[in-house]
Structure formats: structure tokens, C-alpha cells
Amino acid sequence: MRVLQVIDGLPPEQWGGAEQFCLALTAWLTAHEAHVDIAAPARAQRNGTTGALSLHRVQSKYLRKAYFDLFSPGNARRLSAIISSVEPDVVHFHNLLGISSQLVGVAARLRPAVVTLHGYGFVELFNPIVDRDGLRFPRQRAALLPWQWFSRSVHRRHLANATLVSPSRYLARYYESQGFGTVRVIPNGVSLPDETTAGEARMLFVGRLSPEKGLQRVLGPMEHVASDLGWQIDVVGDGPLRSSLQSAFPPVRFHGRADPAPHYQRAGIVVMPSLWPENFPYVALEAMSYGATVLATDVGGIPEIVEDNVTGRLFDPNDIEQFTALLRELVLDPGMRERLGRTGRERIAREFSWDTVGPRYLALYEELTARRASPRVAVE
């Protein structure tokens, strides 16, 4: 099996769930005797990719949303040449911001195409926030609704002949409700580490320090509980809120963009206070794989990973009192933390490890290539 993966960026320039998934899937496929090439913007070339597989990405957010998320004739020509050169059996797409969804339509005419839906980019111009009355969008969305309807229709056309996959049932239903057809569900995978967390008196947040991640809403209560009960708070990640949060909460240790693994290995509680409906966040998978206790908002695809009071605890993102009460309860009850962490790790091993997820993608590739290879029966 030869697979060409296409993505809008890779580490070190970009490091998020889509990039993490792309590289992890590449590693799993390679270990199972598949050949994988990656087509990405030139600045992101790594992991065996070459200049021949280089695409061009437009960096400006406004130019992207206005045109290059939808169309890129130059990249269309480049991808056609790449497909002719490497002759993949399947082309697998991930994020396409700035390199255009047009590439999916180009590939689907030549090979079976798979698109993993890592977020809302094909349906929304802005990420929604969970409010008491449902989803709430930024004010700019109202003014840009005509353009959103147009861009959504273009994305639908470009993706029409591809097989769409969502890691969460939540996002699959959302895309189906917007007319994108049937979306298959295959969860994200994670490698199960040999060691488990030491369960120290540490609260941990891992993620982008931006408003939709919600840390600014809960850091005050976290600091209050931590100071009362002798715990430490670690924050791994960077973003626009870092400076203001560091100034407001001096006792909190901000580690910047760093490998979170050493912090998972020590954390007693991992906090995920997202205000937007996450798809299938890697932080939950990673934390649970180490046996750490997860305290997360009950939004998006998170409940598909974290089952309340079974593999973690969930709270209403608009109920800070509930969050504070649950956090204090977890801090004071090491038996509960041990139970939740153990069952969480067991669930990761059973349902979300690469030993489970990888074969599902490989089976999908084989199904699509077999379907394409089978002769069509003429109907008289």
C-alpha cells in the first residue's frame, strides 16, 4: 500500500492535533509495511518528504478565507504532478488551510481520496463557542454569512467524491447536517506509554493559550484550590493570552511550547476547560494514556473520550462553581483519582490505541482501492 498524505503544515512551524495525527499515522503505516509520502508546504518538509512534494501555503488569514482556502490553481498543478510521480494507491488529506480544498477534487479524479475532518474549517469561517443556548459565533460571522454559505458550497463540491472521516460522532453529525453527505467515524489514535503518571500534587493544562480553550475562566479557581491544598499548577503551551495570564497569576508555572510528556508523567489532574466544541482532542487521549485524571468540559467530542465519573469528570463550561467543586473533590480524594486514571488508561488501550485505530484506516484504504480496481458492470 502506498499512501500520499497532504497537509497544510508540520512541526516545528505547526503543532496541533491534525499535525500530530498525520505524523503518528505515517509512523504506524510505515511500521506495517506501507509506503507513505507527505505533501506539505516547503517550510514544513520533514520525515522523508522532498522538494518534489512541496506545496505553497498562503499565510495571511484574510487572503486564506477570501480565496486560498477554496482555490489554488498552482497547488492543483503541483499535486497532479506529485500524484503522477509517486503513484499512490490512496491520497489522504488533513488540514488544508491556505493550500485549498480544490486539491481534494483534483486528487479524487485520479485516486481514491480520504479527508479526515480535524475541525470546522470546511463548514465555518470561525470556530463556535458553547453557550447556555447552544453554539455562539463571533459577531463577524453575521456580516460574513453570505460568504460563508458560498465557501461552504465550494468545499462541498470539492469534497463530493472523497470519503470523509471524522474522529468524533459529534463532528460527523455536524458535517452531515450541513449537507456534506455520509461521514464515517474513526477515532484519533495514541501510543500507550509504558509508564503511568506518578500522580503528584500538580494540576496541568496543555494547549493553546487562546480564549476558546477557556483557561482564563478557570485559572483563578485553580490557583485558589492549589494554594489552599498545597498543589502546583503547570501550563504547557503558548498563545495570545500567555502574557496577561502570567502577569495575573505569578505562582503558576508557564512552560511555553514544550513536550508535554514529562508533565503528564507527573500530573495528578489534567484540566481541559474548552469553551468551543472540540472534535477529538489529543490532550484527553494523551493524559488518559498516562493514567492521569482528566477534568474537562462536557462539549463537542470530549464526552466520547471522557465518560463522567468512569474515565474522568465532566463539567458545564458555563458553571465555574461546578468546576471548582469537582476540582476540590478530586484533589481531596486520591482514591477517586486512581480509579478514574486506571479506567481511563484501560479505555485508551481498548479503543483508542494505534493498535486499534491504525488497522481501521488501513482497512478503509484497502476497501477504497479494491472498489476502484473492480470492473464496472454495464447496466442495459
Side-chain angles (χ1 to χ4, degrees), residues 1-11 14-15 18-30 34-56 78-79 81-83 85-88 90-96 99 103 118 365:
M1 178 67 63
R2 185 157 194 156
V3 181
L4 173 65
Q5 298 208 64
V6 183
I7 191 167
D8 65 350
L10 289 172
Q14 292 180 203
W15 185 265
E19 295 80 17
Q20 190 171 350
F21 175 85
C22 178
L23 295 180
L25 177 59
T26 296
W28 187 89
L29 290 169
T30 302
H35 183 95
V36 182
D37 297 286
I38 302 178
R43 291 198 308 167
Q45 295 301 324
R46 56 169 289 171
N47 294 296
T49 61
T50 68
L53 304 185
S54 176
L55 300 172
H56 175 70
R78 292 184 188 98
L79 184 62
I82 290 169
I83 292 173
S85 174
V86 305
E87 297 185 343
V90 174
V91 184
H92 190 162
F93 292 88
H94 303 280
N95 281 354
L96 297 173
I99 62 175
L103 302 186
H118 294 284
Y365 297 158

Side-chain angles (χ1 to χ4, degrees), residues 174-188:
Y174 195 82
Y175 270 86
E176 289 173 348
S177 72
Q178 301 304 320
F180 280 77
T182 301
V183 179
R184 303 192 188 202
V185 177
I186 302 178
N188 288 337

